[in-house]
């Protein structure tokens, strides 16, 4: 992530409150974990992935290894928490 490029985000559909919450949390984390970097760099953007638009918040903060068991478990926990309720 070098330089500064500006490109408008594409429109999307979804619950406006949830989208704001997700974006606020991602930006908050990027600021929190990038604050010790000099300079801290945060990018917000989109890219096409399999004919769909994927939005991202990217930073040069401390990060974590995506292949670790903890990340796999975090994904599993997220999936379980976001399942539709079963009666």
């Amino acid at each position: 992530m070098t330089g500064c490029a500006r490109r408008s985000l594409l429109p999307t559909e979804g619950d406006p409150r949830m989208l704001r919450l997700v974006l606020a949390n991602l930006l908050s984390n990027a600021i929190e974990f990038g604050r010790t970097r000099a300079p801290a760099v945060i990018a917000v953007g989109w890219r096409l992935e399999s004919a769909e638009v994927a939005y991202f918040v990217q930073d040069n903060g401390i990060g974590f290894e995506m292949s670790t068991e903890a990340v796999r478990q975090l994904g599993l926990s997220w999936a379980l928490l976001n399942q539709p309720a079963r009666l």
Side-chain angles (χ1 to χ4, degrees):
M1 292 185 299
T2 60
C4 179
R6 292 183 183 215
R7 182 168 74 164
S8 296
L9 293 177
L10 297 177
T12 190
E13 294 180 13
D15 181 330
R17 289 181 291 179
M18 289 301 291
L19 292 170
R20 276 192 291 275
L21 180 63
V22 167
L23 185 57
N25 283 334
L26 290 172
L27 288 171
S28 176
N29 285 344
I31 292 167
E32 178 181 354
F33 296 110
R35 70 176 181 254
T36 60
R37 303 294 180 166
V41 179
I42 299 172
V44 178
W46 61 272
R47 63 181 158 259
L48 288 176
E49 291 184 1
S50 302
E52 293 184 349
V53 177
Y55 298 90
F56 64 85
V57 174
Q58 184 178 14
D59 64 78
N60 66 338
I62 58 174
F64 53 89
E65 178 57 46
M66 290 297 290
S67 64
T68 65
E69 180 66 15
V71 174
R72 189 192 68 74
Q73 290 177 357
L74 177 63
L76 178 59
S77 298
W78 179 257
L80 291 173
L81 286 171
N82 290 288
Q83 284 185 2
R86 295 183 184 167
L87 299 176

